């Protein structure tokens, strides 16, 4: 008797495998880049199901990590899509005023 494979089970297995490969890739950069994942599909706004927040003190390693992600099988096979990148710095205006304008608070 042949076992019939449920296509959904096959898809879930692929997703888990791809997620594991991305986790391994991000672990390479954990000393320089903190990565946090958020689930957004149940909340209103953009058409995102998930989003990622990355924190780093060195943009070089952030860039290297994303270059590897873009070259990965999950990304090149369409399992992962980057729709929008928003860059920001925490308290940037305060740092600018303090360091560049020599303003004290």
């Amino acid at each position: 008797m042949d076992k019939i494979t449920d296509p959904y089970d096959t898809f879930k297995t692929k997703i888990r495998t791809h997620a594991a490969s991305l986790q391994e890739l991000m672990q390479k950069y954990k000393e320089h880049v903190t990565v946090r994942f958020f689930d957004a599909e149940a909340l209103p706004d953009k058409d995102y199901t998930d989003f990622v927040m990355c924190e780093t003190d060195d943009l070089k390693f952030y860039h290297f990590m994303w270059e590897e992600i873009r070259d990965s099988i999950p990304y090149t096979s369409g399992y992962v899509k980057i729709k929008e990148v928003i860059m920001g710095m925490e308290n940037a205006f305060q740092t600018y005023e303090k360091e560049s304008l020599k303003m004290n608070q």
Side-chain angles (χ1 to χ4, degrees), residues 29-35 54-66 87-89:
Y29 295 95
K30 70 179 183 179
E31 189 175 317
H32 301 283
V33 183
T34 302
V35 181
C54 301
E55 295 182 58
T56 186
D57 289 328
D58 191 332
L59 283 176
K60 177 180 80 173
F61 291 104
Y62 169 85
H63 175 76
F64 288 178
M65 183 185 75
W66 282 104
M87 301 288 287
M89 295 174 61

Side-chain angles (χ1 to χ4, degrees), residues 72-91:
S72 71
I73 291 172
Y75 185 83
T76 59
S77 298
Y79 289 97
V80 176
K81 294 180 182 176
I82 299 172
K83 291 188 175 185
E84 188 173 358
V85 176
I86 301 170
M87 301 288 287
M89 295 174 61
E90 188 173 16
N91 300 321

Side-chain angles (χ1 to χ4, degrees), residues 86-102:
I86 301 170
M87 301 288 287
M89 295 174 61
E90 188 173 16
N91 300 321
F93 77 95
Q94 293 163 330
T95 303
Y96 169 74
E97 289 175 351
K98 182 178 177 183
E99 293 179 15
S100 292
L101 301 179
K102 307 296 187 218

